[in-house]
Amino acid sequence: MATAGCGDAEKRFTATGLNLIAGLDTPTAGSVQWPALEGPHPGGPTGIGMAFHGPSLLPSLDVTENVALPLLFAEKPHQEAMHHAHATLDLVEIGDLAAKLPDELSGGQAQRVAIARVPDSFRY
């Protein structure tokens, strides 16, 4: 892995480093340590969340359903996931957009929905 600050290599470090930190990739040598979490990366969901540059919202789901989706995949009860989604939308100040579809949102609004969708961005 290249170090930061060396042109194109910086992009490789950024992408590789973020993928390792998020658990999307595993190191080919060595390990990823989590001092705050006391130990090596467990390889699964952790206290770290990640939102990508593009919001990647599902077009057939409204804003609330898009935010609740990761919690539903994690087998949280539907009502609990929806309650958490509404509370998180209020935290990022877009609760009034809860029933909108992604194509009805501005780019900035869609990015806020993507941030709200990261399960660990706001403690469950």
Side-chain angles (χ1 to χ4, degrees), residues 41-66:
H41 189 290
T46 67
I48 298 199
M50 186 174 204
F52 295 96
H53 181 70
S56 301
L57 303 176
L58 296 176
S60 61
L61 300 181
D62 68 26
V63 166
T64 304
E65 293 165 332
N66 267 287

Side-chain angles (χ1 to χ4, degrees), residues 13-60:
F13 171 80
T14 302
T16 302
L18 289 174
N19 286 340
L20 290 169
I21 289 168
L24 299 174
D25 205 352
T26 56
T28 55
S31 63
V32 177
Q33 296 293 316
W34 299 100
L37 300 177
E38 299 179 5
H41 189 290
T46 67
I48 298 199
M50 186 174 204
F52 295 96
H53 181 70
S56 301
L57 303 176
L58 296 176
S60 61

Side-chain angles (χ1 to χ4, degrees), residues 57-66 94 96-107 109-110 113:
L57 303 176
L58 296 176
S60 61
L61 300 181
D62 68 26
V63 166
T64 304
E65 293 165 332
N66 267 287
I94 55 171
D96 58 323
L97 302 176
K100 300 249 183 220
L101 292 172
D103 65 351
E104 300 175 293
L105 304 174
S106 71
Q109 291 168 333
V113 174

Side-chain angles (χ1 to χ4, degrees), residues 59-118:
S60 61
L61 300 181
D62 68 26
V63 166
T64 304
E65 293 165 332
N66 267 287
V67 172
L69 192 60
L71 299 173
L72 296 171
F73 283 153
E75 299 182 6
K76 300 294 181 192
H78 184 269
Q79 186 174 7
E80 193 174 332
M82 297 303 274
H83 174 75
H84 177 74
H86 281 287
T88 305
L89 291 171
D90 287 340
L91 279 173
V92 295
E93 300 179 355
I94 55 171
D96 58 323
L97 302 176
K100 300 249 183 220
L101 292 172
D103 65 351
E104 300 175 293
L105 304 174
S106 71
Q109 291 168 333
Q111 194 63 43
R112 283 186 183 199
V113 174
I115 291 168
R117 185 180 52 197
V118 177

